[in-house]
Every structure is written in C-alpha cells, then in structure tokens.
Amino acid sequence: MKPAQPVLSCLFACSLSSSPALAEVVLSDERPVLFFDVSAHVGLITQPNTKYGGPSIADFDNDGRYDVAVFDHNQTPVMFFRGHEDGQFTREKDMFRVADIHGVAPGDFDRDGDLDALISLGGGSGAKPQPPRMLRNDGEEGFTDVTELAGISAMGARGRAVRWLDLDLDGYLDCVTVNAPQTIRPDWPRNIMYRNLGDGTFEYVKNEVFENIHAEKSLVTDFDGDHRPDLLTFGPHAGFSFYRGLPEMGLEDVGEQVLPEALRDISGVNAAAYADIDGDGDLDYYLARGGLIHDIAMCEDGCDRLDVAFKLWEKQTQSLTFEAGNTLHLTDFSIVDRGHKMPDGMPIFLGAEKKKMNPPDRLKKWVWGHESQGFPEEMDQNGWYLGYLGDRQWKLAYFMESTNLAWTMQGSIRGIDSFEPGWEMNDPNLPDVLLRNDDGVFTDISSVLPPETGGISRGVTPGDFNNDGLEDFMVFRYGGLSTRVPDVVLLNRGDGSFESFTNHGGNDLGAIAHGDMGVAFDYDFDGDIDVVGGDEGGSWRLFANRLRDEVADPENHHYILIHVGYSAETGMDPIGAKLSLTSASGTQTRVVGSGATAFSQSLLNTAHFGLGSDSQVESVKIVWRDGSEQAVSNLQANQKIEAGKDRP
C-alpha cells in the first residue's frame, strides 16, 4: 500500500518545574530511577479505599493530554480526572455512579473522534448477572449510558474484564466481555462477544471457543504481527493461553502450539504486559503472578507478629493455635462485609465465658491470659474467638453464621513465639513468568528475573524508565498481610538480563496498604515515564519520574514522543498501530494499546521511545491495523511528533 503523505507537526515537550528539594538528589548507578509523589500537586486527589485492577489512562477528549479514570470497586463512582497542558488534572463529572465496578475500557466505538467507555459490572456472585455499561462520550455534556440503545443489554454476566478490539477489521471497534462463571443463568454464555455494526449498535456473535474460555482477564495484543488483534487470557483462579484472531470474528486457542509445555497449566496470573524487550520487532510478555492471600497466616518480625487473613465466602469457621506469653497485643483487625450486612463488624469474644470486646483497628489493644481463660464449647455468634489454654498455648478462631455475610477478614497479634494452623495453608508466593517471542512461539526466560519477582505480584507495566532505548518493567508487589513492600523496577540491561531496583520512590511505603496495579506513561510529556498506581486499601497516586530534570544528565537520556492519531489515508483509529523507530543504537517497536492490563484497559497512543545518547532519529514508520502507513525521517530528539490526524 502506498504510504500516505506525512501530516506532522513538532512540539517541544515542557516539564513541570522541579522543587528545590529535587536538585539535592543525584541519580547514580545505585539509584538510576527516581520518582516523586506529585498527586496532590497536580490535583489527582483520592481517598484510601479498596481497588479492583488498575487505572484506565487515555486521552478521552482527544485534546492531546492524557486523562485518568479510576474507581474503588464498589466504594466510589468512576472518577474522571481531565488532564491539562500545564500537567494539572481537574476532577470532572463522574463517569459512572457507585456500583459493583470491575473495570473500565476506552475506545472510539462511534468514530466521532473522542473516546467512549465500557464499564464492567459484577453480577452479585452470579445471582444478578449484569450487562456491561456502554458510555458514549458527548463532550462537555459528559458520558451518556447507551447500553440499551447499543443493543448489549439483553444478556448479563458476572462481569470482570471488558475490551475493545476490531476483530473483523472493518474499522469499527467490537467489544468482548471476559467474566466469571455463570451460576443462576447457565443458558447465557460465560463470555460474550459483540460486533459493531457501524451505526451505533452492536449484535451478539455466538463464538463457542470464546464463550468457554476459563479466565477473568485478558490482554488485547498482536503476538504474531499480522495486525489482527489476538487475546492473552488469564486470571488468578484460571490458567492462561493465547488466542489468535481469525477472520469473521473468529478466535483460535493456540496455547499448545506456542507455549512451552511446562507453562500451559499454570495459574495465578494477576496481570500481563507486552513489550519488545530484545529489539527484534515482536512482542514479548510478562506475567505477574501471586496466589490467594486468604486462609493463610504469616509470621513476621522473627515470629513476634502473627498476621491472619480468611476468605469468608467459603468457610463458616476456621481456627489456629499459637504459643505466646500471658500478654498479647491485638491490632489491625478488619472485615470487608458484603453489602454492609454487618454494621457492627466482627467482635472478639474472650475465653470460655465469651467476654465481648470491639476489635482493634489501627490501635493496639492489650489482652491478658487471666481474662481469656479457656475456649468456649460452642461458637454461636458472628465474631472472633480468642482463648488462653494454659502452658503458653492460645487458640484463635472465627465463626460466621452464613458465608455470604462478608468477603474477607484479617487481624494481627503481637507477642507470639510460634503458631500452628488448623488447616492446610496455601502458599501465595508464585514466580513471575517472562516469555520471549521467537517468531510467534514463546520461550520461557523467567530464569533471568531477580528474586523480588517470586512473591505476590499483583500488577506489572512496561516502559523505558531510564531512557536508554530498552523496555523495562515495573512490578507491583502485594507485600505482607499488614506491611507494604516497595514495588520493583526491572531495568533491562540489554544482554537478556534484568536488574532490580526498589529504592526508586515510586510507592507509598508509609500507607497501611498493599501493592495492586499501575500504568506507566508520560503524563506531562517531559520525556520520561511516570506511573499512576493504586494501592489496595490506599489512594490513587501519580509518581513523576524526574530522570531528565537536574537530578540526571539529559545528554545520556534523550527521547522522542510520537502521538498517533487517526490514519491520514483511511481514518483508521490508532488502536493496534505498530511503530518502528530506527536510530544509531538500533530499532525499537511499540504497539498502540493498553500495554498492560489487570481488569481495566488503557489506550496509550503517545508512544514514548528512550534514545539514550542518540540525539537523532533516522526514521519512524507507523502502520495502522488496516495496513495504511506513514513514515518520516531525520528527526531531532527530545520533542513530540504528531502523526496522522485528529479525527477519522
């Protein structure tokens, strides 16, 4: 196909001015990446809450600046923060009301030049299957719910991940929903596929392969490089596999053909990301893994503190014994109930006499053996039960009259020596997986990953964090039951190995929270990759990367930004567009899309390339998914390039 004539303009990126404190920090080989929390400074202000799988980052209003859509499961609406040219954000009208929200996905389904949204809703543990909500972007009027008008309201599910992708390559974005198993409506498919008819409406497409995929999350990608979307499906309770896109809205499970045999049955994948880590032009994949953090006990600080966590929707009672002296400290007891059915929480009943006390949250309470003598013969009220059995032996248990009253509960006890669970504990620590793409077949190279990736990884995002021309990863780690651990930046060394860094400042270690999921992108277009992340139990935060400020030598950290709009030749939207950049150091590849997903999807259509010491770009080629092309050459580094056009 003949390339279109370039439609380009060059904009030099500007950065926020640094505070005096930043100038005092010097990057070094020991600290090659440095983040600062600028959430309050830029207006991205939220409150601590639960999370459900990451932010959605996209330029919803098509003004050239990234916007942020975030939510806190069923505790907040979908909050919409509009990005501005000065790097600030303002919270606009909420995108969607408070509900059992499980994910957000941006895409221009009606081809009017701005991004609409899909919202995934839970199905009440299967009792109330819900269709996804389709929100049309009506500009200054906000987002309008057109679910019924679009024709996707007839069937519901236990919604998990919603995705936009052009399965039939007709230029209009289709959508799929990947869900938990149906229970009350087994006649409805588990996963649902809809074809975009191009007139604002969709039709259900029966696809038995897709409908029976056992997964709860998916990553839209193109692992075989044919410009047709493929799917990587995964989930914490399921295996993972690759599905190749076929004509006529088809999908083919090719896991047995492309995956190493030892990996075909692994589970516990919480998030996935793609990046060309070896510069060969195809996409490699990182799988962040970790097991369930429920029905377990963790002994920390030399077994002085015992942390316990239980998943209440499966068992009505559970117990353990531990050895300790005559005095205990109880702290950080909490419960996540189901629909506020337990307004009084979970009390603690002490000893055989079941003396009732309120559970301590973040403050310590003292418990003495003499007031906790014995253990009751019957547990007949919802709550914790704690008793001293004598000879330094204690017993802790919980009882729930119904498993549908609460989701989880946990607590911490200080002053113990050892413990013995009354059940077979699962090990939540699972090694992450790194797959190298060798002409469409994958090789397991996980052995190059450092030890920090062998615990509980809840998220991952790719990006060239030090602008050396090599794609890196940031892995979000859950930590202990009551402790936050630093997330890990994995710097690509270019020799097939990665080096880990945890002293980068890109997480809130002081919060009583856990790592969850984030997205790396250049929010202020200053040439370095920043991160928006959300902690489980914490706030959403924006961490600005100050690589190119006075804390680093910018001459060794050049960059270029390529904003990909609609194809100038055909009007094709940028999803799936492939960029190939060549400079003196070699060739780099980016694919416009989400880059990484847990439940929510992003659309990052300003591709960031680190150039290291290269001050010139020899050429950039952009190929949209319909085959239309655009190419430019001889570009100076450290600027933003506009490719394509603003509207279809």
Side-chain angles (χ1 to χ4, degrees), residues 365-443:
K365 284 194 175 181
W366 295 73
V367 173
W368 290 270
H370 66 82
E371 70 174 0
S372 309
Q373 289 289 331
F375 199 85
E377 295 183 1
E378 181 182 13
M379 296 184 293
D380 53 1
Q381 300 181 66
N382 296 326
W384 295 93
Y385 291 80
L386 177 63
Y388 181 59
L389 308 181
D391 195 24
R392 299 179 57 84
Q393 298 298 308
W394 293 75
K395 182 175 181 180
L396 174 71
Y398 77 83
F399 170 77
M400 294 288 285
E401 63 185 12
S402 172
T403 58
N404 70 352
L405 290 179
W407 294 111
T408 61
M409 58 188 291
Q410 66 183 61
S412 296
I413 301 174
R414 281 193 173 274
I416 77 160
D417 298 320
S418 62
F419 75 98
E420 184 68 34
W423 69 96
E424 183 177 351
M425 288 199 302
N426 67 301
D427 183 1
N429 297 306
L430 296 174
D432 292 351
V433 171
L434 184 60
L435 298 172
R436 188 184 66 217
N437 191 339
D438 296 323
D439 296 323
V441 178
F442 295 101
T443 301

Side-chain angles (χ1 to χ4, degrees), residues 61-131:
D61 53 5
N62 199 19
D63 67 349
R65 309 297 303 193
Y66 280 125
D67 311 304
V68 177
V70 293
F71 62 94
D72 296 324
H73 197 184
N74 57 358
Q75 298 178 330
T76 68
V78 178
M79 298 170 282
F80 180 60
F81 292 87
R82 189 183 306 277
H84 300 285
E85 189 172 354
D86 60 359
Q88 296 289 302
F89 291 87
T90 57
R91 183 174 174 181
E92 307 289 339
K93 180 181 178 182
D94 293 334
M95 186 179 289
F96 195 73
R97 67 181 186 275
V98 176
D100 185 15
I101 303 166
H102 287 178
V104 178
D108 183 9
F109 82 82
D110 52 4
R111 297 192 63 175
D112 66 350
D114 53 25
L115 297 182
D116 313 295
L118 275 175
I119 308 292
S120 178
L121 299 183
S125 299
K128 298 179 180 179
Q130 296 285 322

Side-chain angles (χ1 to χ4, degrees), residues 487-498:
D487 302 320
V488 182
V489 172
L490 302 177
L491 287 187
N492 189 340
R493 291 308 189 194
D495 59 359
S497 67
F498 289 81

Side-chain angles (χ1 to χ4, degrees), residues 290-313:
L292 291 175
I293 42 186
H294 305 298
D295 293 345
I296 64 173
M298 290 184 176
C299 211
E300 299 188 12
D301 295 345
C303 215
D304 171 70
R305 183 180 70 211
L306 173 67
D307 295 331
V308 294
F310 297 107
K311 181 173 62 173
L312 300 186
W313 64 91

Side-chain angles (χ1 to χ4, degrees), residues 549-568:
D549 287 337
E550 60 264 38
V551 295
D553 177 7
E555 294 304 314
N556 291 320
H557 301 282
H558 291 303
Y559 72 93
I560 197 163
L561 299 168
I562 312 293
H563 177 263
V564 182
Y566 295 81
S567 167

Side-chain angles (χ1 to χ4, degrees), residues 9-22:
S9 63
C10 300
L11 300 175
F12 284 88
C14 59
S15 64
L16 292 175
S17 60
S18 303
S19 67
L22 299 187

